[in-house]
Amino acid sequence: MTRENTRVVELLLFLIAWLGHACFVMAILNILYAQPIHRDLLKRMRIFLGVVIFFTPPILKSTLLINYSQVLDQALSENRWGIGAIYISTCLIISGVILPAITIQRLLRKQPKKLLLETTTTYDLEKELGYRPIGDGKYSRLAKYRWNQLFKVDFTELTLCFPNLPKALDSLTILHISDLHWIGTPGKIYYEWIFTKAISSFGEPDLVVITGDLIDTDDHIAWLASLRPLLSWKSAGLAILGNHDYWCDHEKLRKELVSQGFINLGNSYQLLQIRGETVALIGQECPWFTPSADVSTIPDGVFRICLSHTPDNISFARKAKVDLMLSGHNHGGQIRLPLFGSIFVPSFYGRRFDMGTFQIGDMVLHVSRGLGEKEPLRFHCNPQITRICLKRAASSDEK
């Protein structure tokens, strides 16, 4: 092999290993952000791990003069696997085998059997309003970038089929709202337009549910009083809180939700009478709010809907025999690359449940991309509000 070819191979090995290194460190960051760690500490961890991702490989290579191909050749020929050879090999396997395999699997993921129909209409609020409703949030400057798709909002409609859905609940509708992140950007008119459009285009739902992260500052609790009248429901409005609410005055927020007509589920459940049938609405705010909801007294045979801010509570939901789980938290990653998809997802499961509809056993999980974000950046990952229609699968006797 010529010296030029050797340099090309060495450069390719270095870049591929660097990608694997970045994926490994990002997986650690995802898991850390899924834990109830103080947000200030998480911010420092994110900065530190960002430095580790971008600067550690080139610094080590330039200062220690590490030659990746020589390290691997020596390990293979002499069977002497030092820390460097093991880590380089691991990074190469992550980027060369594991990452492509996971990406292909995600691209080929089949539609859940219980998902009968999914349609999406996208509205560009800059065109609808005639300007970008940037507002005055802490990071408002980010919303000014033209490539930022912050104001292109997806109105998604899902039709889900459940064999055990009571006949009276056939065509029950749920308006799922998540991750509002009221901080000033986008401005309040952004949410006013979305809420008004959702009710006018989707129609009044049976239930309105909010799955956490309403606020990022205590001052923005006041927005609820003016935005709530734009939402209406036939049976009930329900809400839980998320990790961003946890770091604010969450007790004041809960009181305001109740005063505006919402049922504050917290870590508990409510048995609601809807169309003459009993439905269990379960709230799960762990790991930030504890203890977990006790569902042991829910009667058998009752249709169960769980509001969980993070989809990481899947194991809880399955043990609780939940039929439909609604979540947010992950924002779809906010920045998604073509084919590859999301990069940073604050979940123990990494990118697995970053957004969309999944079927785990008999349970259906829908993860909303949410309407807001503390750092207002969106790329190939539009904000989302979802209308869900529940259909009953006819039994053989009814066909």
Side-chain angles (χ1 to χ4, degrees), residues 81-193:
W81 291 85
I83 295 177
I86 292 173
Y87 190 69
I88 292 171
S89 300
T90 301
C91 291
L92 290 173
I93 292 172
I94 290 173
S95 57
V97 179
I98 298 177
L99 180 61
I102 292 175
T103 301
I104 292 171
Q105 182 184 39
R106 286 165 57 86
L107 292 172
L108 298 179
R109 181 169 66 91
K110 294 181 180 179
Q111 176 175 295
K113 292 182 180 180
K114 291 186 176 182
L115 176 59
L116 300 183
L117 182 66
E118 177 175 358
T119 60
T120 294
T121 302
T122 303
Y123 294 95
D124 187 337
L125 265 67
E126 182 177 6
K127 292 181 179 179
E128 297 290 340
L129 296 171
Y131 63 95
R132 295 167 72 85
I134 291 174
D136 58 357
K138 182 178 180 181
Y139 304 102
S140 60
R141 66 186 183 281
L142 298 176
K144 298 178 182 179
Y145 295 123
R146 305 306 302 180
W147 56 264
N148 193 345
Q149 297 168 325
L150 180 68
F151 302 113
K152 293 184 177 180
V153 183
D154 285 350
F155 282 60
T156 299
E157 295 186 75
L158 303 176
T159 301
L160 304 175
C161 181
F162 295 91
N164 62 324
L165 186 71
K167 192 172 183 178
L169 299 180
D170 189 47
S171 297
L172 180 82
T173 55
I174 303 170
L175 183 63
H176 180 200
I177 301 169
S178 194
D179 296 88
L180 296 161
H181 288 280
W182 292 335
I183 193 174
T185 297
K188 187 163 63 171
I189 195 170
Y190 166 89
Y191 299 97
E192 291 174 347
W193 193 94

Side-chain angles (χ1 to χ4, degrees), residues 8 25 27 31 42 109 115-117 165 258 265 284-285 297 301-303 341 358:
V8 171
V25 177
I31 293 173
L42 282 175
R109 181 169 66 91
L115 176 59
L116 300 183
L117 182 66
L165 186 71
V258 172
L265 281 176
Q284 178 64 308
E285 298 177 339
T297 55
V302 173
F303 192 82
F358 307 84

